Amino acid sequence: MPQHTPLHQQHLDAGGKVVDFAGWALPINYGSQVDEHHAVRRHAGMFDVSHMAHTSVEGAGATAFLRRLLGNDVAKLDTDGRALYSCMLNPDGGVIDDLIAYRFGDNRYRVISNAATRESDAAWMAQVAADFEVALTSDDALAMVAVQGPEAIDKAVAALASDVGRQAAALDRFQAIEHGDVFVGRTGYTGEDGFEVAVPAADADALWQALLAQGVSPAGLGARDTLRLEAGMALYGNDLDDGVTPLESRLGWTVDWSDPDRDFIGRAPLERQRADGVTRQLVGLVLDGRGVLRGHQDVYDGDRHIGQITSGGFSPTTARSVALARVEHPCRETLNVDIRGRHVPVTVVPFPFVRNGQSTLPSNEERGT
């Protein structure tokens, strides 16, 4: 039986179609995935992300531990409340998980990572932590709601208690506050501005209802996936796994090389790959004809197989079918995708496919078609 988040009854009351996602009962939609997608892009929507893993990292060795554990460098978080996105790597440079680390003191951080990798993440972090003066504590008694969209900040501030709302309103992107038991981070996974708000499980229903009262629309897993695909954000298990490196996943920017003495896990193989160049790369694809791009479809250069789609689908904002694919590097601008035995032409394009709510894809006129 999948686990229930503290907001499970709210999903049922709102007509959510609940499915098993990584061992959690969560809504795939509340009636229309496309309407929920547009609500986030145009106004404000909210997602139950209570299944995400929260780990407190505390102790005199907390900073040194995270500087060893992560490809990015927490040492550049020079003030409390700042956050960074990073990959957690294995000794071969493969991605064990992607996560966000928040600093709340010289010796205290909060790490928020994926639900599907919760147990393996915890085991790896504990193994690495054994060499440092640090304590790791998982907090499973929280609810977390992601409020995203161009109106998300104003609506969420109005929904929060006045003192929390005032502090949240002053946050810049990738900053966070803790106020008692309430955590607010100005981060998200849709390409839109907004907050991720964590509260004790007992306060989850009140938060959800307060956001509903401000006109924030519930959105399910389906909309979350199309939004993050349009934003070109990797999904662990699809676009990232422990067999690929950040450099092969357009996440080289998350690896901080600035301190030559920082011996983070996976550094040596990544340095070799950086010097030699990658032989495969994550690229964006847009379908030129009819059909829908899906994960695991094979990609060809002529008749030669050169890779596979990692994530794909119909993009409601661009009204096109788009995908992320891992293919040989370099590759041509025009490739083919096997859709049910039919080779369909696709164009390699930069991603994100949507920025600031607008399509970045070339129009038919710009493409000369």
Side-chain angles (χ1 to χ4, degrees):
M1 290 287 290
Q3 299 180 72
H4 291 178
T5 75
L7 289 163
H8 183 69
Q9 189 59 49
Q10 297 292 336
H11 302 319
L12 299 180
D13 293 346
K17 180 182 178 183
V18 174
V19 299
D20 185 343
F21 176 76
W24 292 84
L26 289 167
I28 188 75
N29 62 57
Y30 298 85
S32 171
Q33 174 179 329
V34 173
D35 287 351
E36 292 159 24
H37 179 108
H38 288 316
V40 175
R41 281 278 181 258
R42 298 168 181 170
H43 303 288
M46 59 180 168
F47 307 86
D48 179 6
V49 290
S50 304
H51 57 301
M52 302 291 285
H54 294 245
T55 304
S56 174
V57 180
E58 295 185 79
T63 300
F65 162 68
L66 290 174
R67 296 191 79 205
R68 171 70 174 155
L69 183 74
L70 304 179
N72 213 338
D73 191 354
V74 297
K76 62 188 177 191
L77 301 179
D78 52 1
T79 56
D80 291 351
R82 287 194 61 195
L84 60 73
Y85 173 76
S86 181
C87 294
M88 181 166 64
L89 306 172
N90 62 30
D92 296 326
V95 181
I96 293 175
D97 201 3
D98 62 330
L99 52 81
I100 297 179
Y102 300 84
R103 169 187 154 140
F104 287 107
D106 291 340
N107 302 314
R108 188 168 74 87
Y109 298 83
R110 178 194 290 247
V111 172
I112 300 181
S113 55
N114 289 302
T117 51
R118 178 186 298 262
E119 293 183 2
S120 57
D121 284 2
W124 178 247
M125 292 171 73
Q127 181 179 332
V128 177
D131 294 330
F132 296 88
E133 189 178 342
V134 64
L136 307 179
T137 307
S138 297
D139 192 343
D140 297 326
L142 295 175
M144 190 160 80
V145 178
V147 190
Q148 299 279 286
E151 300 171 7
I153 297 291
D154 288 344
K155 290 181 181 296
V157 166
L160 294 167
S162 58
D163 47 355
V164 180
R166 280 193 297 272
Q167 294 181 60
L171 291 173
D172 288 329
R173 296 201 184 205
F174 266 69
Q175 283 191 335
I177 57 162
E178 289 180 323
H179 185 94
D181 294 333
V182 180
F183 163 90
V184 183
R186 191 169 173 179
T187 52
Y189 190 54
T190 63
E192 297 293 335
D193 204 354
F195 292 142
E196 291 179 314
V197 183
V199 297
D203 299 330
D205 288 347
L207 173 63
W208 190 263
Q209 288 297 322
L211 290 165
L212 282 176
Q214 292 299 322
V216 181
S217 303
L221 293 167
R224 189 166 180 252
D225 193 55
T226 52
L227 289 158
R228 72 91 193 165
L229 175 60
E230 288 184 347
M233 295 182 174
L235 174 64
Y236 194 84
N238 287 35
D239 313 300
L240 289 175
D241 59 51
D242 58 7
V244 299
T245 73
L247 305 186
E248 296 168 324
S249 307
R250 293 291 176 98
L251 291 175
W253 62 273
T254 70
V255 181
D256 192 310
W257 308 96
S258 57
D259 181 354
D261 296 324
R262 187 171 72 94
D263 184 24
F264 62 85
I265 294 170
R267 177 162 190 151
L270 285 187
E271 284 186 329
R272 289 193 294 273
Q273 190 175 58
R274 185 188 187 200
D276 296 342
V278 297
T279 58
R280 54 182 181 170
Q281 184 62 277
L282 198 67
V283 299
L285 302 179
V286 58
L287 183 63
D288 295 328
R290 297 173 62 87
V292 178
L293 301 177
R294 301 289 187 194
H296 306 298
Q297 290 172 338
D298 291 312
V299 182
Y300 291 84
D301 179 352
D303 292 330
R304 190 167 63 86
H305 181 264
I306 64 165
Q308 196 172 70
I309 288 178
T310 54
S311 291
F314 180 75
S315 156
T317 303
T318 68
R320 307 280 294 276
S321 187
V322 300
L324 301 176
R326 183 162 287 103
V327 299
E328 291 179 1
H329 176 76
C331 68
R332 298 176 190 271
E333 184 179 347
T334 302
L335 303 172
N336 295 308
V337 170
D338 186 323
I339 301 180
R340 297 181 177 179
R342 185 169 58 98
H343 280 210
V344 177
V346 294
T347 301
V348 177
V349 296
F351 61 86
F353 308 104
V354 173
R355 182 181 290 115
N356 298 324
Q358 302 298 317
S359 172
T360 64
L361 298 178
S363 65
N364 289 338
E365 290 76 14
E366 291 169 326
R367 296 167 57 236
T369 61

